[in-house]
Every structure is written in structure tokens, then in C-alpha cells.
Amino acid sequence: MKKLSLYVAPALLVFAASTNATDYPDLSIGGYIMVDHDQFSDLYLEDEENSNDGTDIRRARLSAKAKLSDDWRSKFQVDIAEGEFDIKDAYIQYKGMDWANITLGQQKEPFGLEKLTSSSDTFMIERSMVTEALAPGRSMGVKLDGNPGNFTWNIGYFHDDNSQNSQGVTGRLTWALIDQDDNFIHLGSALSERKRNGDEFRINETLEVYSSDSLLEGTRLDAEDMSMASIELMWQYLGVVSMAEWIETDIDDATRGEYHYQGGYYQMSYPLSGKNRRYKDGKLGTIKAKHDWELTWRVSQFELEQEDRKAQTFAVGINYLVNKDLMFKANLIRAKHQEDGETFGYDNAFSFRAQYSF
């Protein structure tokens, strides 16, 4: 599937670039780079001989968006961090119908409020444990979406990007009351039913510190069927954003039976300018201010029920928006995890990010 997007999307963008600019004026090239540094205690390691810090070029992305005609759009995005060429988005979109848009290609599945928020716009440096472990990301597929009145809806059929066997249907519905200044209240829910046909599935998550070890390790499952559900709530008023989400997943293994995973988070942010973030089509965007400080915090938890493992984190952060292109983020994380009834922690970690967009 990824090979198909490797050829189709660039061809469309070359077509757009070579067409008369007065007919198709909306070809844009952009991207961003993120450099992260982590410091953490031994709690975040499986082996105390491992390093207690790490520095990474976390993301280095280049994207091209094109308006092919009044009704057709295209996007192609790649990540070249760590010397690897990884296709992220590669799709075309038809917007010529009143009731729905059609998107074909590799794209984000419509699941998870935090997952659908761009990594450059998230409150904290890392997304929550449950989002990273359970919410599906980008897949090859076809999606329909629309936004009648106060509602948005999305439904799509997708193939897992890393497998030829796994496929599923994912949908999301949101409702919001919004005023002209982007003060709003938002409710949403998403479902995904997937056939994995024996593909391996395993939870393998860190405690929200990227350079640390993966301490939340689940059983290796030969998954046959997988059901995911989420509920989300968000509120914004005069800059204050409050966001909560809960995700549950059931996985059926023909030999081991059914495994249940669940978790959620609650997080808040406040920019000192009091400026609201942008909000559109059920997704949260950037702060409207050109220069700002933002205070953030989050509590999250994740439970592996059959494995008798769970983890909780508490994080506070500060984001410094120098201008619309340059931002710095700093997070202090306290975490604990439990395994077979034994509790480890709380203990500390510190993460820092510099990100530049162009």
C-alpha cells in the first residue's frame, strides 16, 4: 500500500506545480523540525545500566499541498528523521459534493481527539500513553466526511499500513457549540472495528518519555478481531482549554481469548495572552497569538487488565511561542507503574523540545 502512495501523490503534486499558476494558485511547500532532549530517573528504565538521557531529532517533516482544481486537493508529507524516509500523508481529496468530502490514500484515521491534533499543536511534548498505544494513526484507505450544522462526521475503510492482513472501518462523530471567537464546548465519540486475521498485536509503551524504555509491555497476541471505542470532551473559553478522553479496546486471540485495554487522560492549557486556539471540523489547532507563553498540565492512566499492569503519570509544562514559526516546550513528568501487584514510583523525568516550522 505504501508503495502505491509513493508514486501517486508525488505525481499529482508535480502535475499541480507544472500547471498555470493563475489557474491553480494554492501550491504550498512547508514542514517542521523537532529536536527533543529527555532526562529521567532509573524508574523509566528496564536496565539501570542504560542511559538516563537522550537527544533525538524527533521529527523532520516536509509536506506539499496542492489545489489541483476547485474541487480537488492533494497532500504529500514525508518524515526524514533518523536518516529514514517515511511517508506520512499521501492522499487526494474531492470536495465537489455538498454533503461530503472524499479522501483517498494514506491519511490519519478519524479516531482520537489527541491523536488528530497535530504534534506541533499538542499541549505536552508527548501524547498520552493510551493515545499512543491504542488510537490508530495513518493508514491507507478511503474516507467520507462532512460537517452539517454543529456536527462533524467521518467514516472510512482502511488497511493497516504495516500489514496486508489487517483492515477495518473507523468512524467519528462530534458536536460543538462555537461562537465567533472560537469559545466552544465539544463532545465526540469514535469507533473502530478491525479484522486482523492473526496479525501480531502487543502493547509496548513508555511512561510518556520518548527516550526511556518501554515499561508497559503486554502479551504478544495473534489478534483476530479488534474493537475500539472512545469518548471525548473539550471546552475552551478565553484561552483556557480543558480536554478529556477515554479509550477502550478489546482484542480477540483465538488461543488466549479476549484481552481488554483501557485508559484516559485529562489535560488543560492556558496561554498568558488569553488568546483562544483555532478550532475547526472537530479538531484543535494552534494558538492565535503571534507571541505567547502557555501553561499546561495533564494526568493520564493506562491499564492492561489481563496482564495486571497499569501506569499513571502527572505532568506540568510550559510552552514559549516565540513567533508563528518557533516554539520551545518543557515538561516535568512524574510517573508510577504497577506490575503483578507491585508498585514502582513515583519518580521524575524532564523533557525539552525546540520546534521550528517553515
Side-chain angles (χ1 to χ4, degrees), residues 83-147:
E84 298 181 358
F85 183 86
D86 186 20
I87 298 173
K88 294 300 180 180
D89 294 318
Y91 62 77
I92 56 174
Q93 184 178 62
Y94 179 67
K95 301 173 71 71
M97 298 186 296
D98 293 334
W99 64 278
N101 303 315
I102 303 175
T103 307
L104 175 65
Q106 185 159 292
Q107 58 193 288
K108 280 188 177 182
E109 295 190 33
F111 191 104
L113 177 59
E114 189 180 34
K115 192 72 168 185
L116 292 171
T117 302
S118 170
S119 57
S120 59
D121 297 327
T122 54
F123 297 176
M124 317 303 291
I125 291 174
E126 299 298 327
R127 293 184 176 96
S128 63
M129 296 177 287
V130 65
T131 293
E132 288 295 330
L134 300 183
R138 290 174 168 87
S139 301
M140 180 66 71
V142 58
K143 181 185 70 176
L144 293 174
D145 67 90
N147 53 352

Side-chain angles (χ1 to χ4, degrees), residues 15 22-26 66-74 93-97 101:
F15 167 76
T22 59
D23 294 329
Y24 305 107
D26 294 333
K67 180 178 180 180
L68 306 178
S69 73
D70 289 340
D71 296 331
W72 290 92
R73 307 288 190 275
S74 179
Q93 184 178 62
Y94 179 67
K95 301 173 71 71
M97 298 186 296
N101 303 315

Side-chain angles (χ1 to χ4, degrees), residues 272-273 275 287-293 320-324:
L272 299 187
S273 68
K275 297 288 187 179
I287 301 173
K288 293 181 178 180
K290 297 180 179 179
H291 175 85
D292 209 350
W293 291 86
Y320 177 40
L321 181 65
V322 180
N323 53 47
K324 65 182 182 64

Side-chain angles (χ1 to χ4, degrees), residues 226-340:
M226 185 173 181
S227 297
M228 296 183 287
S230 73
I231 187 168
E232 54 192 61
L233 171 65
M234 184 166 55
W235 170 81
Q236 176 171 258
Y237 184 71
L238 299 180
V240 177
V241 183
S242 180
M243 180 192 302
E245 191 169 8
W246 186 263
I247 303 175
E248 296 195 6
T249 297
D250 291 307
I251 300 175
D252 182 58
D253 181 303
T255 302
R256 299 176 181 273
E258 186 173 279
Y259 278 65
H260 182 76
Y261 303 107
Q262 63 180 6
Y265 65 84
Y266 176 67
Q267 58 185 338
M268 294 184 68
S269 78
Y270 176 67
L272 299 187
S273 68
K275 297 288 187 179
N276 280 337
R277 283 175 173 250
R278 291 177 174 84
Y279 174 86
K280 184 179 180 182
D281 297 337
K283 302 175 186 177
L284 194 64
T286 60
I287 301 173
K288 293 181 178 180
K290 297 180 179 179
H291 175 85
D292 209 350
W293 291 86
E294 182 183 32
L295 307 178
T296 63
W297 71 273
R298 179 176 68 205
V299 292
S300 69
Q301 67 180 65
F302 187 35
E303 180 179 1
L304 288 64
E305 192 171 283
Q306 279 67 34
E307 291 92 337
D308 191 23
R309 296 180 179 179
K310 64 177 64 174
Q312 296 85 33
T313 68
F314 174 75
V316 294
I318 184 167
N319 302 330
Y320 177 40
L321 181 65
V322 180
N323 53 47
K324 65 182 182 64
D325 298 323
L326 182 62
M327 177 182 284
F328 299 97
K329 296 182 176 183
N331 293 170
L332 177 64
I333 305 104
R334 286 182 60 80
K336 70 175 182 179
H337 67 101
Q338 295 171 282
E339 183 175 339
D340 299 326

Side-chain angles (χ1 to χ4, degrees), residues 46 202-207 213-220 261 302 304 306-310 337-339:
E46 290 181 314
R202 188 189 185 200
I203 300 294
N204 196 31
E205 275 304 312
T206 70
L207 303 181
D213 292 340
S214 299
L215 299 179
L216 281 172
E217 296 182 348
T219 304
R220 294 182 185 272
Y261 303 107
F302 187 35
L304 288 64
Q306 279 67 34
E307 291 92 337
D308 191 23
R309 296 180 179 179
K310 64 177 64 174
H337 67 101
Q338 295 171 282
E339 183 175 339

